[in-house]
Amino acid sequence: MGYSAKSDSGKPRRNVLIVEDNDVNREMLHSILADEFNVLEAKDGLEGLEQLRQNYSSLSLVLLDVYMPRCDGFEFLRQKRSDERFDSVPVIVTTASDLREDEIECLRLGANDFVVKPYNVEIIVNRVNNIIHLRESASIVNQLTWDHLTELYSGEFFYRYMHDFLSSSQAGAYDMVCSDITNFKALSDRYGKANCDRMLQELAKRLSFTLPDVVAGGRIANSTFAFLIEHQDSRSWTDALMGVSHGLIATNMSLKFGIVENVNHGLAVSLTCDRAVTALEQVRETFGVSVAWYTEDLHARQVREHVIVETMEQALAEKQFIVYYQPKYDLHTGETGGAEALVRWIHPELGFVRPDFFIPLFERNGFITNLDFYVLEEACKEIVRCREQGLRVVPISVNVSRLDFDTADLAQQIAQIANRCGVDHSLLHIEITETAYTDNPDLVVAALQELRDDGFVIELDDFGSGYSSLASLNMLPLDVMKLDMSIIRQAASLDDYRIVRSAIQMAGFLDLKTVAEGVETEEETQRLRELGCDMIQGYYFAKPLEQKQFEEYVS
Ligand code: C2E
Ligand code: CA
Ligand code: CA
């Protein structure tokens, strides 16, 4: 038998099994089908069952004779039906004449169609093709409809089916509940895929029972389920969700829920799910809180975020980003000793947007690096402008995001910008945070070393704000330590400067200059001066200033 993967027409060739004891009939069927199919043969029901066992997964159809010695067609069908692995293989029965009782018995036993002897080539080829086509499309629908692991709907099908459901039930009110295991990756690393699959299975089952008035549920991502439920008037039903993961795999499983109440029937279901997941994100890291609702505020924020991401590139091209400069006051000389470049966005629709709002977004989508290069160039131009106007020239520091270190030749690119503008490298300070170091220590150390060798000054930003580690202090090539505003604020409010003092001492051991951020009062200034701090940056001396104001300030 010549096997090949494709027929002449280019369609993949299907395998068809002929079960027939009569040599002439078998030969005839074989020659009718051999053009289009790979044909397997069996001389009676027993051989046929054996072939079925070996080949069921690749078999598209069986052509079955009814009367055969040893094991007839009826018995074949009975045996076939007892093993559900064989369900996917359809059967066409070939009968000698139109014996009604035989046909009915075969149908009862699961046959799909008949052909009557003597054979008609056209009829046989077409019936075989029709049945195969029918079965394959049904199987595709089946695959697309169900998530076989959890027996929930597949994501795609859930979206489509719920869309149809919601468009046809305008009157009803429904809530969308999405769940996610936020530490799923860690769990599957630790417990393995098979265990996690079992856990997802059990969780899907429990949720289907625990959630009230479920319309349908789907698995919309690896560990994310979505359930449409009838709208609940009170929110107390969510109490029951607390126990739902009890005893599953790991006690530290972090199962979170996001809920959209009264879903908008006109909104794409996938967007409704996105909103539920957005709500869920709000409690992703919050210990002890597992349920969050999608609120108006969250919606407004999402809209703003969307506008921001949509308009950021145009904004950069149109110079909507404005760089402000906040002077740093030198406690030794009593003069301005430098300034920090801080970016603002004057958005045509949203107005003044704070960097706290857009920088984290840009750090998520990578745009921050473009912006940082822009700010660097603006800072260089400002230095040149001051020089040309005969003003005092002070070093300007720029913030370099941890993401910028993904740029392979960061140090060279920074140097190029400075050189092109004709700015001495010592006039540019680079502010980095410790998180840059913890993300990617080797890369960051190498890039900073290169910058420092090339004459730039490196400042460690936000020291004391989070997880300051002595390791990074020791490893990073630094010149300046900036004490985070939070430790200054805390010292001032408790009137206890011990932490500030030890930070300044530590900087001294490491030969680093110190800048205190967020200094707002005379009293704070005095205390910092006594502790030996070198510079002060804060509202007490100056807020971040527009270019013109800044130039007046240093003149
Ligand atoms: P940062 O680098 O720690 O900047 C200091 C922030 O403290 C600035 O907020 C500044 O306006 C504010 N500030 C200064 N003095 C005082 C004070 O006395 N009291 C109070 N309450 N605040 C004070 P801003 O300008 O809103 O910037 C926020 C953060 O955004 C910055 O924190 C920095 O992390 C980031 N950022 C700003 N511009 C850029 C940039 O061009 N690139 C990057 N990557 N990040 C930037
Ligand atoms: Ca900074
Ligand atoms: Ca800072």
Side-chain angles (χ1 to χ4, degrees), residues 90-110:
V91 178
I92 296 179
V93 172
T94 58
T95 55
S97 56
D98 45 355
L99 281 172
R100 284 279 152 225
E101 307 84 79
D102 287 357
E103 292 187 6
I104 291 168
E105 180 62 5
C106 287
L107 281 175
R108 217 176 50 75
L109 292 171

Side-chain angles (χ1 to χ4, degrees), residues 445-513:
V445 169
L448 291 181
Q449 193 60 58
E450 201 180 333
L451 282 164
R452 204 157 175 254
D453 291 346
D454 207 12
F456 297 97
V457 176
I458 314 295
E459 307 198 6
L460 180 66
D461 205 354
D462 302 341
F463 180 79
S465 65
Y467 317 87
S468 293
S469 84
L470 297 176
S472 53
L473 266 189
N474 212 17
M475 294 305 294
L476 286 167
L478 299 171
D479 302 287
V480 178
M481 176 196 280
K482 292 189 80 173
L483 308 184
D484 190 62
M485 176 153 38
S486 63
I487 61 174
I488 307 296
R489 294 264 69 76
Q490 196 190 45
S493 72
L494 302 176
D495 192 26
D496 179 348
Y497 280 76
R498 280 178 299 176
I499 291 178
V500 176
R501 177 191 292 128
S502 58
I504 293 173
Q505 275 169 357
M506 191 165 357
F509 295 141
L510 294 164
D511 234 358
L512 306 177
K513 294 242 171 285

Side-chain angles (χ1 to χ4, degrees), residues 323 326 340-344 354-356 358-360 363 368 371-372 375-376 398-402 404 431 433 461-462 482 484-485 489 517-520 524 537-540 542-544:
V323 181
Q326 186 175 33
E340 177 176 4
L342 292 161
V343 71
R344 276 93 185 83
R354 296 184 49 86
D356 289 337
F358 61 80
I359 297 230
E363 286 188 332
I368 188 65
L371 183 64
D372 280 347
V375 171
L376 175 74
V398 293
N399 292 282
V400 165
S401 159
R402 64 203 164 83
D404 299 347
E431 291 193 9
T433 56
D461 205 354
D462 302 341
K482 292 189 80 173
D484 190 62
M485 176 153 38
R489 294 264 69 76
E517 288 187 300
V519 177
E520 295 181 349
E524 288 158 30
Q537 178 182 348
Y539 295 170
Y540 179 64
K543 294 198 160 181

Side-chain angles (χ1 to χ4, degrees), residues 272-516:
T272 303
C273 291
D274 284 351
R275 290 181 174 185
V277 170
T278 303
L280 184 157
E281 297 291 346
Q282 309 306 306
V283 291
R284 176 175 284 275
E285 309 285 341
T286 320
F287 183 77
V289 181
S290 328
V291 185
W293 283 265
Y294 189 75
T295 59
E296 281 300 320
D297 279 357
L298 203 52
H299 180 65
R301 186 170 152 181
Q302 248 194 326
V303 170
R304 267 165 73 90
E305 288 189 4
H306 183 76
V307 172
I308 280 184
V309 171
E310 288 289 296
T311 53
M312 63 189 186
E313 287 182 10
Q314 193 187 356
L316 191 59
E318 291 178 356
K319 295 186 175 263
Q320 290 170 17
F321 292 103
I322 310 292
V323 181
Y324 278 50
Y325 301 92
Q326 186 175 33
K328 294 176 183 172
Y329 178 82
D330 188 324
L331 284 169
H332 305 296
T333 65
E335 289 181 324
T336 304
E340 177 176 4
L342 292 161
V343 71
R344 276 93 185 83
W345 186 356
I346 317 296
H347 194 286
E349 284 167 53
L350 304 174
F352 189 93
V353 192
R354 296 184 49 86
D356 289 337
F357 189 74
F358 61 80
I359 297 230
L361 280 178
F362 291 174
E363 286 188 332
R364 257 182 274 154
N365 64 25
F367 189 67
I368 188 65
T369 304
N370 303 20
L371 183 64
D372 280 347
F373 280 127
Y374 172 81
V375 171
L376 175 74
E377 184 156 352
E378 289 297 301
C380 288
K381 289 179 185 162
E382 181 59 24
I383 292 171
V384 172
R385 243 189 325 263
C386 286
R387 192 173 61 207
E388 284 173 351
Q389 293 177 63
L391 307 174
R392 230 159 54 78
V393 174
V394 295
I396 294 185
S397 49
V398 293
N399 292 282
V400 165
S401 159
R402 64 203 164 83
L403 255 91
D404 299 347
F405 289 94
D406 291 340
T407 307
D409 51 355
L410 181 69
Q412 282 116 292
Q413 290 207 38
I414 291 177
Q416 263 170 23
I417 294 173
N419 298 346
R420 194 169 60 230
C421 298
V423 169
D424 193 89
H425 294 186
S426 65
L427 288 173
L428 279 178
H429 292 201
I430 308 293
E431 291 193 9
I432 58 134
T433 56
E434 281 179 286
T435 48
Y437 174 77
T438 35
D439 278 0
N440 205 337
D442 297 344
L443 240 151
V444 170
V445 169
L448 291 181
Q449 193 60 58
E450 201 180 333
L451 282 164
R452 204 157 175 254
D453 291 346
D454 207 12
F456 297 97
V457 176
I458 314 295
E459 307 198 6
L460 180 66
D461 205 354
D462 302 341
F463 180 79
S465 65
Y467 317 87
S468 293
S469 84
L470 297 176
S472 53
L473 266 189
N474 212 17
M475 294 305 294
L476 286 167
L478 299 171
D479 302 287
V480 178
M481 176 196 280
K482 292 189 80 173
L483 308 184
D484 190 62
M485 176 153 38
S486 63
I487 61 174
I488 307 296
R489 294 264 69 76
Q490 196 190 45
S493 72
L494 302 176
D495 192 26
D496 179 348
Y497 280 76
R498 280 178 299 176
I499 291 178
V500 176
R501 177 191 292 128
S502 58
I504 293 173
Q505 275 169 357
M506 191 165 357
F509 295 141
L510 294 164
D511 234 358
L512 306 177
K513 294 242 171 285
T514 44
V515 178

